[in-house]
Amino acid sequence: MKTESPLQKISHPLFERHQLSVSIKRDDIIHPIISGNKWRKLKLNLHHAQAHNYIGVISFGGSFSNHIHALAFACHQQGLKSIGIIRGEKEYASNFTLSMAQRWGMELHFVDRKSYRLRENKEYLAQLQLTYPDYFIVPEGGSNTLALGGVGEVIAELNQQCEFDTLITPVGSGGTLAGLIKADNNQHNILGIAVLKQDGYLTEQVNSLLGDNLHFNNWQIMPEFHRGGYAKFSKEDAEKILSFSQQTGFIFEPVYSGKMILALLDLINQQYFPKGHRLVLLHTGGLQGIGGLIERGLLNANDWCMPTFE
């Protein structure tokens, strides 16, 4: 599957007033299902699984996980089996995200929060591998060293598409940010907008993925724009994101890409960027999550379109 995505200009009165050039890297339209950063992170993982004769892939996610949704379809497309270890109750199996994952053949195993916290525990992972010796284990969000090469292609594409000063991306598990940093090799400023309360956790994750022998000084994670925590946002936040989407013609959701937009607007109003600065936003997809937010009554179905994957 081709992963190159277009770069498009965004027009907005705030950008014009502050004399900023803002463009968006449209990874959300790479593929109608495996959109955004998910395929970039997954493709080398799936190639690895196939090259080493695994019959399937195991990974982790919440009940409305973009990663689980994309992994299920990607494995289905590549002829691999898939198992999702899901944080939550079995009653979530029929929700928008997981019903689609099951349609594409994913086997779901539901665990409580205490068990889910073991997802990075070496002893737990070793036991899981013994239980499923023919499955390749991919971490939550697809964020491992294999993911970095796929994500790094964003930088190669951008270098062919434009000149820019700062690249901005939402950060949930650190893999996308680490891949961008490594590929950019200190050429541009890279800002990560943390979408969850993380108290330094994401910085540790990114440094771990980059490795101790790689030193980069062109990036930072901004922790103050999480809007209350992972998947949390106010009615006012949602309205502001919706308004921005209507003004610009680009769709964003409130969990990942929308928090990046809210952070951007706040930073511009704070005059964080100098006049003439050239910004690129990485749209990491995740629009399937709108379906789950509508199901839970967190978004109004009259304002937000339920995505379809027929």
Side-chain angles (χ1 to χ4, degrees):
M1 187 178 77
K2 187 178 180 181
T3 55
E4 185 171 349
S5 62
L7 184 74
Q8 298 175 345
K9 195 82 169 176
I10 305 183
S11 296
H12 190 276
L14 186 66
F15 306 160
E16 295 173 9
R17 188 159 62 248
H18 289 266
Q19 299 179 35
L20 299 172
S21 170
V22 183
S23 300
I24 184 164
K25 180 71 169 154
R26 296 293 308 279
D27 270 19
D28 58 308
I29 58 174
I30 283 176
H31 186 274
I33 297 174
I34 321 172
S35 71
N37 58 346
K38 299 310 174 190
W39 177 243
R40 292 195 189 270
K41 291 198 286 185
L42 284 174
K43 69 175 186 176
L44 295 184
N45 276 286
L46 299 192
H47 290 167
H48 176 88
Q50 292 169 322
H52 290 80
N53 297 315
Y54 289 100
I55 65 170
V57 175
I58 298 177
S59 196
F60 309 84
S63 301
F64 300 90
S65 167
N66 294 320
H67 168 65
I68 289 294
H69 183 267
L71 177 66
F73 184 84
C75 285
H76 169 72
Q77 186 187 56
Q78 298 292 316
L80 291 164
K81 295 183 178 181
S82 61
I83 295 175
I85 298 177
I86 309 300
R87 183 189 69 248
E89 304 297 328
K90 290 183 179 180
E91 64 191 56
Y92 290 115
S94 61
N95 75 19
F96 181 85
T97 300
L98 298 184
S99 61
M100 297 304 300
Q102 290 176 95
R103 183 185 298 184
W104 298 319
M106 178 173 276
E107 179 182 330
L108 303 180
H109 294 182
F110 290 88
V111 298
D112 59 26
R113 290 182 178 274
K114 183 178 179 180
S115 299
Y116 192 77
R117 291 191 192 102
L118 297 173
R119 65 193 181 278
E120 296 177 5
N121 180 278
K122 291 182 179 179
E123 292 180 2
Y124 168 78
L125 291 173
Q127 184 58 52
L128 186 64
Q129 193 69 80
L130 285 174
T131 306
Y132 298 98
D134 297 324
Y135 282 73
F136 181 56
I137 301 173
V138 174
E140 181 182 47
S143 292
N144 57 13
T145 53
L146 285 170
L148 303 193
V151 173
E153 292 175 358
V154 170
I155 298 297
E157 292 170 23
L158 282 174
N159 286 337
Q160 295 296 316
Q161 292 171 324
C162 70
E163 294 183 355
F164 65 99
D165 301 305
T166 295
L167 175 62
I168 305 178
T169 183
V171 184
S173 58
T176 295
L177 182 59
L180 297 173
I181 295 164
K182 184 176 181 181
D184 188 72
N185 198 24
N186 290 323
Q187 295 180 64
H188 305 94
N189 185 39
I190 300 179
L191 294 183
I193 306 301
V195 302
L196 67 160
K197 293 181 180 178
Q198 44 91 27
D199 296 325
Y201 164 77
L202 287 176
T203 299
E204 293 176 6
Q205 284 289 97
V206 171
N207 281 322
S208 176
L209 288 166
L210 290 173
D212 294 336
N213 61 327
L214 297 175
H215 300 284
F216 302 94
N217 57 16
N218 63 323
W219 67 279
Q220 67 179 114
I221 294 177
M222 295 190 150
E224 66 267 37
F225 298 107
H226 56 71
R227 324 304 286 195
Y230 180 70
K232 293 184 178 180
F233 55 90
S234 67
K235 181 181 177 182
E236 291 74 22
D237 289 336
E239 289 174 350
K240 191 177 290 187
I241 294 166
L242 184 61
S243 175
F244 185 86
S245 292
Q246 292 169 341
Q247 285 178 290
T248 61
F250 300 104
I251 301 173
F252 304 94
E253 45 67 50
V255 177
Y256 289 96
S257 60
K259 289 187 178 180
M260 173 181 66
I261 294 302
L262 295 176
L264 173 70
L265 298 177
D266 286 348
L267 289 169
I268 292 175
N269 281 317
Q270 295 166 16
Q271 299 185 336
Y272 182 86
F273 304 106
K275 290 181 180 179
H277 207 68
R278 300 164 298 181
L279 297 156
V280 172
L281 311 177
L282 178 60
H283 196 318
T284 55
L287 298 180
Q288 74 84 25
I290 291 173
L293 296 172
I294 291 174
E295 277 187 340
R296 288 177 283 172
L298 298 175
L299 294 179
N300 188 328
N302 293 324
D303 297 325
W304 299 77
C305 295
M306 178 78 84
T308 57
F309 301 106
E310 298 301 333

